[in-house]
């Protein structure tokens, strides 16, 4: 493989990353679109600027053999973004890709199951976090991003910022949740974060600059859900589908 080909691809890839950030996409979307272009680059030996319909047919046929339809759609959207913003070419949706439409009802835990989950969570920060997600109906990313200033105790509402679709919204704040959050905040006194990370222990929580670790939260929820015998389709449904990524 020619070094110049790899160098050209790397330059285009860096341009791709810049445009992803400038368009204000969510971090997970940026990661997915960047991963899609890297994967296509590896498949086509770093030459993806003039792909034919036959080449794309081969690529996506191979991809669906090893990945989910979700990955196929993300790679397709990544290519669309790359074509429009990096190559500056018009985009025509390939007519040979049509992901199946699947409609599922979410698994919702009962109040009793939720209470069992909260009681089985021994770490206070995780227990309060799970309860907050459940009572407010938040996604995982929305809960982790909560700041002290987002809690409006006077109007009994919570300001959810940069939610799905980069939109803000307000959700009702139950009195019991407000009380739980007030008591929890008194344990760490972080002036900004509602759920500071636990890397420095309780003494370091007051000065933490980042929230709870996403992986740690998901792992703990998975373990607690299994311990409680919750057999929903996926662990995040243990908090009433509130753990969906943003």
């Amino acid at each position: 493989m020619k070094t110049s080909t790899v160098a050209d691809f790397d330059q285009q890839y860096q341009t791709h990353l810049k445009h992803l950030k400038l368009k204000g996409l969510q971090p997970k979307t940026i990661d997915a679109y960047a991963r899609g272009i890297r994967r296509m680059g590896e498949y086509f030996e770093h030459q993806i600027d003039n792909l034919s319909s036959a080449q794309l047919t081969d690529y996506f046929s191979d991809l669906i053999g090893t990945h989910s339809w979700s990955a196929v759609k993300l790679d397709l959207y990544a290519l669309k973004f790359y074509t429009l913003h990096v190559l500056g070419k018009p985009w025509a949706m390939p007519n040979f890709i049509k992901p199946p439409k699947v409609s599922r009802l979410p698994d919702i835990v009962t109040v009793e199951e939720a209470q069992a989950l909260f009681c089985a969570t021994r770490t206070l920060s995780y227990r309060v976090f799970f309860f907050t997600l459940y009572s407010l109906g938040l996604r995982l990313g929305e809960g982790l991003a909560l700041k002290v200033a987002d809690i409006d105790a006077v109007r009994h509402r919570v300001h959810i910022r940069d939610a799905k679709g980069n939109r803000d919204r307000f959700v009702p704040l139950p009195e019991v949740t407000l009380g739980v959050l007030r008591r929890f905040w008194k344990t760490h006194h972080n002036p900004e974060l509602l759920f500071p990370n636990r890397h420095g222990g309780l003494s370091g929580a007051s000065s933490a600059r980042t929230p709870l670790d996403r992986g740690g939260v998901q792992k703990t929820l998975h373990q607690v859900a299994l311990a409680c015998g919750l057999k929903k389709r996926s662990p995040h449904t243990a908090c009433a589908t509130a753990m969906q990524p943003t």
Side-chain angles (χ1 to χ4, degrees):
M1 185 183 302
K2 295 182 179 180
T3 304
S4 60
T5 300
V6 177
D8 290 343
F9 174 82
D10 289 341
Q11 183 177 357
Q12 293 286 66
Y13 176 73
Q14 292 303 318
T15 301
H16 179 64
L17 293 180
K18 291 177 182 178
H19 280 290
L20 287 171
K21 295 176 180 177
L22 288 172
K23 295 301 182 293
L25 300 179
Q26 292 285 349
K28 276 188 169 292
T29 303
I30 292 176
D31 289 344
Y33 285 12
R35 181 170 57 250
I37 294 303
R38 290 197 306 271
R39 183 155 50 206
M40 296 184 74
E42 294 173 0
Y43 186 93
F44 292 110
E45 297 184 343
H46 300 90
Q47 300 180 66
I48 65 172
D49 290 357
N50 294 287
L51 297 175
S52 66
S53 295
Q55 288 176 305
L56 291 175
T57 300
D58 290 341
Y59 174 75
F60 285 108
S61 294
D62 290 345
L63 187 65
I64 194 58
T66 55
H67 293 73
S68 67
W69 272 108
S70 176
V72 171
K73 289 191 293 184
L74 286 172
D75 278 23
L76 181 62
Y77 296 151
L79 178 61
K80 176 182 178 180
F81 189 95
Y82 182 87
T83 301
L84 291 173
H85 301 289
V86 178
L87 301 182
K89 298 179 179 179
W91 168 257
M93 180 71 74
N95 58 14
F96 53 82
I97 300 176
K98 188 177 182 180
K101 293 183 178 180
V102 179
S103 179
R104 294 192 181 98
L105 292 175
D107 292 321
I108 304 298
V109 299
T110 65
V111 174
E112 291 75 16
E113 288 174 328
Q115 290 176 338
L117 186 145
F118 303 146
C119 291
T121 305
R122 299 184 179 278
T123 303
L124 177 63
S125 56
Y126 289 150
R127 183 165 66 248
V128 174
F129 183 72
F130 297 155
F131 176 78
T132 301
L133 293 187
Y134 184 82
S135 62
L136 300 183
L138 304 183
R139 297 177 175 84
L140 171 60
E142 294 171 345
L144 292 175
L146 283 177
K147 305 290 180 63
V148 174
D150 295 331
I151 307 300
D152 188 340
V154 176
R155 296 181 177 85
H156 280 80
R157 65 183 187 181
V158 180
H159 190 174
I160 308 301
R161 305 175 188 274
D162 296 326
K164 190 172 184 179
N166 291 335
R167 298 177 180 177
D168 286 11
R169 74 179 193 278
F170 291 100
V171 299
L173 175 61
E175 187 67 36
V176 63
T177 306
L178 176 59
V180 169
L181 290 176
R182 278 175 168 167
R183 290 192 293 273
F184 176 65
W185 183 83
K186 291 180 180 178
T187 67
H188 63 75
H189 291 280
N190 190 292
E192 181 182 6
L193 299 174
L194 202 57
F195 295 102
N197 69 61
R198 303 173 61 250
H199 299 160
L202 186 59
S203 60
S206 61
S207 58
R209 297 296 184 87
T210 58
L212 291 172
D213 176 67
R214 177 186 288 265
V217 170
Q218 292 175 320
K219 180 179 179 181
T220 299
L221 178 60
H222 179 80
Q223 293 173 340
V224 174
L226 290 179
C228 292
L230 296 182
K231 298 180 180 180
K232 303 299 179 182
R233 187 164 53 241
S234 60
H236 70 249
T237 58
C239 277
T241 70
M243 301 296 281
Q244 299 176 14
T246 59

